[in-house]
Amino acid sequence: MADQATDHAQQSAPRERRAFPWLIGARRGGLLTAAALALIGIVFGWQAALLDLGHVGLPGPGFFPLALSLVLVVFSAAIALEGWLSSAKESAKDEPLEFGHPQVLIAFAALLAVPILFEPLGGLIALGLMTAVLLVFLARVPPLLAIVWSALGMAASWYLFGELLGVRLPIGPF
Amino acid sequence: MTGFDQLVRGFAIALSWKGLLYCFIGCLWGTIVGVLPGLGPLAGMTLLLPLTFGLDPTIGIIMLTGIFYGAMYGGSTTSILVRIPGEAASVVTCIDGYEMARQGRAGPALMISAVGSFIGGTVSVLGLMFIAPPLAKVMIAIGPSVEVVLMLLALFVISVVSAGSRIKTATMVVLGLLLGTIGLDNLTGAPRFTFGSPELSGGLSFAALAIGLFGLSEILINLEKTETIKAIQPKLRDLIPRWNDMRDSAPAVARGSVIGFIFGIIPGVSHVVSTFVSYAVEKRLSKHPEQFGKGAIAGVAGPETANNAVTGTAMIPLLALGIPSIPATALLLSALTIHGVQPGPLLLTDRPEVFWGLVASMYIGNIILLALNLPLVGIFVNLLRIPYPWLVTAILVVSIIGVYSVNSSSIDIWITVISGGVGYVLRKFGYEMAPLLLALVLGDRLEANFRLALTMSGGSYATFLDTASIVVLGSVLALLLLVQALAWAFGYRKSFADDAERA
C-alpha cells in the first residue's frame, strides 16, 4: 500500500506545478524586458514631444529627452532583435530564470507597504510593521517575539536617527 | 601657497580629533559593509550620508571616502574566509583566497591582501595628489563644448569596457540620461515629466535610486539563496606570511598597483575590471600558472592591490573634472553638492581644504585600515553569523530612514522600492546598474553644457570639434585603445568569464 502511494506520488510529481518561483525562459524574458524598455522610451518620447523642442541649432527643453527616447527605443529593438536571432539558432539553449521566490515576494510586499503607511501611520510604526513581518515570515520568529524585537529596533532607530542624527520622521496621527 | 603647504594644511585637518574620529568611523563602517554581503560601499555611504549633514564638508567627505576604500578592504575578508565576495571587486579573490584558507593558509592570504591593499591605496593617493591639480588647471581653460565631448566619451567608454552585453550597457546609459531629465529644465525652468508633483521638480533622488538599484536589488537576489555560511576562523599568530609568500606576492603587488592606477581613471566598473585584469596578468606571467585556482598567493595579492589602487585614481576625474567614474564617486559628488561644494576644476582653487584634507585623510585611512583589519578579522567574520533575514531587516530599516532623511520625502521611498524591484528584474536579465547611475549623474550637466555650447556658438555643431575637443578626444581614445590592447593581450574577456564562473 505504502509502495503504491510512493509510486503514485512519483508518477504525479512531473505534473505538479509550483506556484512560486515562476520560471521564465531567458530569451522570452529578455524580449519582454526589451519591450518594457521600449515602452518607457515611447512614453517619455510622447511626453517630451509636448514640450518646447526648439530647433536643431538651439534646442528647447523637450529636444534632449525626445532624442534620448528615440535612441532608447532603437536600442531596445536591437536587444530584442539580438535575442530573437539567437533563439533562431538550433544550438542555443533557453535557460530558464527563476522569479518570485516566496522570500523575495514577502520582502518586496513588506517594502511596498512602507511608503503607503509611512505618512499616515508615522515612519517608525510603518518600519516597525515591516520589521515584524520580515522577522515572522523570513526569520521564522514567533509573532509575539517579533513584535518585541521590532519595538526594540524602532526604539534604537528613534534614538540613533532622531536623537543623535536629528532625522525627523513623520509622526502620523500621534 | 605651494602644493606642499596645502598638503601640510590638509594633514592638519585630517589629524585633528574630528578628522581622525570620522576617518576611523568611515573606515570601520566601510570594513563592516564590505564584509556583509548585500551592502557595498554605495549603500554604506548612503546610509551614513545623514550623519554628515551637521559636519564640516571636509570632515563629512573624509568619512564618506573612508567608507569607500574601507569597503574594498572588508570585501576581501569574506572572499578569503567564506568564499562570498562582500563586494563586487572581491569576486576574483574568492578563487585563490578561499583555496588558501581551505589549506590552512587563511592568515597569509589575509595579511598579503591587507598589505597589498595598503600599498595599492597609498600609490593611488600619490597619483591623485600629483595628477589632479595640473589636470584641474587644464580643465579651467576649456569651455562647455569640450566638457560635453569629455562626458560623451566617459559614457562611451562605460559601454565599451563593460564586462556584459555592450548593447544592454548602452541602453542603461541612455535610460540613465533619460531619467536624469526628470525635474525642472536647468536653462528655462520648464517642468519635465514631473506630472505636477513638486517633489519631482528637483529630479529623482540619486541616493534613493542608488540604494534601490544596487542595495535593494542585491538583497532581493540574495534572498533567493538558501546556503548557510561557514566561515574559516584564522588565528592571529598564523597571519605572518612565509618568505616564499612575500617573494611571490611582491611583483604581483607592484603590477596590481599599476593596473589599478590605470583602470581607476576609466569610467564604468573599473574597480571590478581591474581585479580581473590583474588576475589574468598574474596567471599569464606566472611560472606556475597551473597553481592558479588552487591557492596561488599572487592570485590574491594582485587583484586585492588593484582594487584598492583604483580608489585614489577614481577620485581624480571626480575632483579635477567633476565627472564621477564609478557609482561610489557619483555618490560622493552628490554628497559634496548637498554640502554646497562643487567638485570640478575650481575645487582646488575655491575649496583647497576639501581636496587636500581628503588626500591627507586617505594616507591616514589606509594606515587605520591596516591596523584595524588584521587584529580584528575574527570579529568582522563573526558578523556573518548573524542570520541573513535579521541582517536584511536591519539593513532595510536603516536604508529607508537614510533615503528619507536626504530630502524628507516619502516619494524617495517609493523610488527606492520601485527601483529595487526594477533593478532585481533587470539584473536577472544581465543588465548592469552602474552605467545607469553614472549616466543619471552626468545627464544634467551634459545637457546643460550641450545647449550652452550651442547657444555660445550660434547653433553651430562645429563647436564640438574645436582643437581642444580633438586633443581630449584623441587622448581619451588613445588611453582606451591602450587599455583594450592590454585587456586583449592578457585575454581579459575570456578569463573574466572563466574566473567569474569559478568564483
Side-chain angles (χ1 to χ4, degrees):
Chain A
M1 190 69 186
D3 286 344
Q4 277 179 346
T6 314
D7 286 346
H8 178 74
Q10 279 172 351
Q11 280 166 12
S12 61
R15 279 185 231 149
E16 197 179 302
R17 291 191 65 174
R18 283 184 299 167
F20 302 109
W22 302 300
L23 290 176
I24 300 174
R27 243 174 266 126
R28 192 168 144 234
L31 287 175
L32 286 172
T33 321
L37 287 168
L39 187 67
I40 292 171
I42 290 166
V43 171
F44 268 82
W46 162 54
Q47 286 292 311
L50 302 175
L51 296 164
D52 172 24
L53 295 177
H55 55 85
V56 179
L58 201 61
F63 183 87
F64 204 65
L66 181 66
L68 288 169
S69 307
L70 292 174
V71 177
L72 184 61
V73 172
V74 170
F75 280 7
S76 305
I79 293 170
L81 189 68
E82 196 180 58
W84 184 71
L85 286 176
S86 69
S87 67
K89 288 178 191 165
E90 280 181 19
S91 58
K93 285 185 203 165
D94 192 10
E95 297 285 341
L97 289 172
E98 288 186 349
F99 279 90
H101 279 256
Q103 298 224 330
V104 175
L105 291 177
I106 291 165
F108 195 67
L111 275 167
L112 271 177
V114 174
I116 297 170
L117 304 175
F118 207 70
E119 303 266 357
L121 285 188
L124 288 175
I125 292 178
L127 289 169
L129 285 173
M130 180 195 80
T131 304
V133 167
L134 293 179
L135 288 180
V136 169
F137 291 102
L138 298 189
R140 305 285 174 203
V141 175
L144 205 63
L145 199 59
I147 292 169
V148 173
W149 275 113
S150 139
L152 285 173
M154 288 313 108
S157 302
W158 165 79
Y159 183 72
L160 176 68
F161 290 97
E163 295 300 303
L164 293 183
L165 300 180
V167 176
R168 293 281 160 258
L169 297 175
I171 52 166
F174 308 103
Chain B
M1 207 182 264
T2 65
F4 182 74
D5 295 332
Q6 300 274 26
L7 183 63
V8 170
R9 205 175 144 202
F11 268 106
I13 296 170
L15 288 170
S16 66
W17 73 266
K18 261 192 166 180
L20 281 173
L21 174 69
Y22 284 96
C23 185
F24 178 79
I25 292 172
C27 291
L28 180 68
W29 178 242
T31 307
I32 292 170
V33 296
V35 166
L36 297 174
L39 269 182
L42 196 71
M45 287 158 76
T46 314
L47 296 180
L48 286 204
L49 188 60
L51 186 65
T52 68
F53 292 162
L55 297 173
D56 174 78
T58 312
I59 302 293
I61 218 71
I62 282 175
M63 189 183 80
L64 291 175
T65 314
I67 300 172
F68 171 38
Y69 54 80
M72 299 292 174
Y73 269 72
S76 61
T77 305
T78 46
S79 293
I80 292 167
L81 300 178
V82 200
R83 204 171 177 264
I84 292 176
E87 212 273 320
S90 303
V91 170
V92 177
T93 312
C94 288
I95 304 170
D96 284 285
Y98 186 69
E99 278 305 313
M100 283 184 73
R102 277 184 57 194
Q103 293 161 17
R105 301 182 60 225
L110 287 166
M111 181 65 146
I112 291 292
S113 155
V115 173
S117 299
F118 172 74
I119 294 171
T122 309
V123 166
S124 72
V125 182
L126 278 168
L128 169 67
M129 204 171 80
F130 287 110
I131 295 176
L135 191 62
K137 276 184 188 160
V138 173
M139 274 301 286
I140 290 173
I142 64 173
S145 60
V146 184
E147 219 171 320
V148 170
V149 172
L150 208 57
M151 282 189 268
L152 282 176
L153 269 173
L155 295 174
F156 172 71
V157 174
I158 289 168
S159 307
V160 172
V161 299
S162 156
S165 157
R166 283 176 187 164
I167 183 73
K168 284 181 179 172
T169 309
T171 308
M172 288 297 98
V173 167
V174 176
L175 184 62
L177 289 173
L178 198 53
L179 293 177
T181 62
I182 294 174
L184 297 183
D185 175 34
N186 264 347
L187 299 185
T188 62
R192 298 189 295 192
F193 317 114
T194 58
F195 304 102
S197 161
E199 281 96 344
L200 285 178
S201 55
L204 295 179
S205 157
F206 177 79
L209 267 175
I211 286 283
L213 291 171
F214 269 88
L216 209 56
S217 66
E218 180 73 28
I219 285 171
L220 293 176
I221 287 172
N222 282 341
L223 277 173
E224 293 180 350
K225 298 168 191 163
T226 50
E227 304 149 21
T228 48
I229 294 171
K230 285 181 190 160
I232 296 168
Q233 288 280 2
K235 289 176 186 143
L236 200 58
R237 65 171 181 274
D238 299 335
L239 286 172
I240 309 300
R242 295 181 303 217
W243 165 247
N244 283 355
D245 292 332
M246 290 193 275
R247 190 195 58 201
D248 293 345
S249 307
V253 167
R255 285 188 287 265
S257 299
V258 176
I259 290 167
F261 188 85
I262 294 171
F263 274 82
I265 306 170
I266 311 292
V269 283
S270 52
H271 58 311
V272 183
V273 175
S274 69
T275 60
F276 280 94
V277 171
S278 168
Y279 190 80
V281 167
E282 293 311 321
K283 198 171 170 182
R284 181 65 65 94
L285 297 180
S286 172
K287 287 175 188 164
H288 303 287
E290 73 285 352
Q291 286 178 359
F292 278 72
K294 294 172 188 165
I297 199 156
V300 177
E304 276 305 312
T305 308
N307 78 29
N308 279 273
V310 164
T311 55
T313 33
M315 305 293 282
I316 296 173
L318 172 72
L319 298 175
L321 314 177
I323 297 174
S325 59
I326 54 176
T329 53
L331 191 95
L332 281 176
L333 186 139
S334 290
L336 282 165
T337 313
I338 289 171
H339 281 283
V341 178
Q342 186 58 51
L346 292 174
L347 179 75
L348 273 110
T349 44
D350 292 352
R351 304 294 297 268
E353 77 282 2
V354 175
F355 177 82
W356 292 104
L358 180 63
V359 167
S361 80
M362 287 178 84
Y363 284 115
I364 294 162
N366 274 301
I367 296 169
I368 290 175
L369 282 168
L370 194 63
L372 194 70
N373 269 262
L374 292 174
L376 300 183
V377 70
I379 294 173
F380 290 128
V381 171
N382 278 332
L383 286 172
L384 292 167
R385 290 189 179 172
I386 303 169
Y388 197 63
W390 285 81
L391 201 61
V392 163
T393 308
I395 291 169
L396 290 177
V397 169
V398 179
S399 302
I400 290 170
I401 296 177
V403 162
Y404 179 83
S405 65
V406 177
N407 293 321
S408 297
S409 163
S410 302
I411 295 275
D412 287 351
I413 304 177
W414 275 114
I415 292 170
T416 302
V417 175
I418 292 168
S419 60
V422 171
Y424 166 75
V425 174
L426 287 175
R427 286 175 68 172
K428 289 275 234 178
F429 285 113
Y431 291 85
E432 288 182 42
M433 297 297 110
L436 190 156
L437 283 179
L438 291 173
L440 180 80
V441 168
L442 291 180
D444 222 19
R445 274 177 52 211
L446 176 66
E447 184 191 7
N449 278 304
F450 175 74
R451 288 163 64 188
L452 196 64
L454 279 178
T455 309
M456 284 165 70
S457 68
S460 165
Y461 280 78
T463 186
F464 297 110
L465 290 172
D466 64 5
T467 321
S469 300
I470 288 165
V471 170
V472 169
L473 199 76
S475 312
V476 177
L477 281 179
L479 185 67
L480 183 63
L481 282 174
L482 175 74
V483 169
Q484 284 286 303
L486 267 174
W488 175 79
F490 291 103
Y492 152 65
R493 272 191 175 269
K494 188 178 179 302
S495 69
F496 187 105
D498 294 349
D499 297 336
E501 181 88 8
R502 288 167 65 187

